[in-house]
Amino acid sequence: MSREKTIFTRIIEGELPCHKLFEDEYVIAFLDIQPLARGHTLVVPKESAPSMDKLSAESASALGRSLPSLCRAVMRATGATAYNLLQNNGREAGMSVPHVHIHIIPRYPDSTHSFLWGPGEIDHSEASKLAEAISATMD
Ligand code: 5GP
């Protein structure tokens, strides 16, 4: 199935410019063009998978491997006091570019953005069945 190239594939292929922080065989990282905070970074596997469940283990490993060092570098260079990692999958989940990416969003003492949600209440009997069901369908 052929899909139209995403903006991120066009950046990876050098067709569109970006403020690049890092690149290796599998991963590229660059600054978000509409940052929620100074230093807002996108970490993008070069493989064009539309969501995390479609990403190969090889690209996922490389993506995970790049994160600690990128997070340290963003923190050091910006002086941020904390950061959030955010990863949306699917339009309904807020994904606007259908190409896997992880946001590194620095937080500063005067930051006001929020990712907090009201905690729900677990039903342990349903949760135990659900955990089993999810575990049984893993490939
Ligand atoms: P999503 O909403 O899919 O999780 O995040 C997509 C992110 O990509 C957004 O934060 C948006 O600002 C960023 N973005 C969209 N187009 C471009 C672009 O052309 N260049 C860069 N650097 N970031 C982009």
Side-chain angles (χ1 to χ4, degrees):
M1 192 178 76
S2 82
R3 286 189 302 120
E4 213 173 290
K5 272 191 208 173
T6 65
I7 284 179
F8 293 167
T9 294
R10 295 177 65 196
I11 289 174
I12 291 161
E13 292 179 354
E15 212 180 291
L16 293 175
C18 71
H19 295 286
K20 185 162 64 181
L21 317 179
F22 168 80
E23 181 171 16
D24 69 10
E25 191 184 349
Y26 296 100
V27 175
I28 186 168
F30 48 85
L31 294 179
D32 194 296
I33 207 163
Q34 291 184 303
L36 186 54
R38 182 169 171 268
H40 182 162
T41 295
L42 299 173
V43 190
V44 184
K46 291 186 172 177
E47 180 186 334
S48 175
S51 55
M52 188 61 83
D53 52 287
K54 305 255 174 21
L55 190 66
S56 70
E58 198 177 29
S59 289
S61 303
L63 186 62
R65 213 168 32 237
S66 71
L67 282 174
S69 156
L70 279 166
C71 291
R72 283 193 296 272
V74 169
M75 291 282 282
R76 278 186 202 129
T78 61
T81 51
Y83 60 95
N84 293 92
L85 293 183
L86 179 72
Q87 206 271 312
N88 301 320
N89 295 276
R91 203 154 23 110
E92 300 83 350
M95 185 183 222
S96 60
V97 179
H99 183 138
V100 170
H101 53 281
I102 296 178
H103 297 255
I104 302 174
I105 305 173
R107 176 163 289 272
Y108 302 96
D110 61 351
S111 291
T112 53
H113 63 267
S114 166
F115 302 100
L116 300 177
W117 61 86
E121 212 172 297
I122 195 161
D123 170 341
H124 288 289
S125 119
E126 202 269 335
S128 125
K129 288 186 199 115
L130 183 58
E132 233 170 75
I134 294 171
S135 169
T137 61
M138 278 185 75
D139 48 31

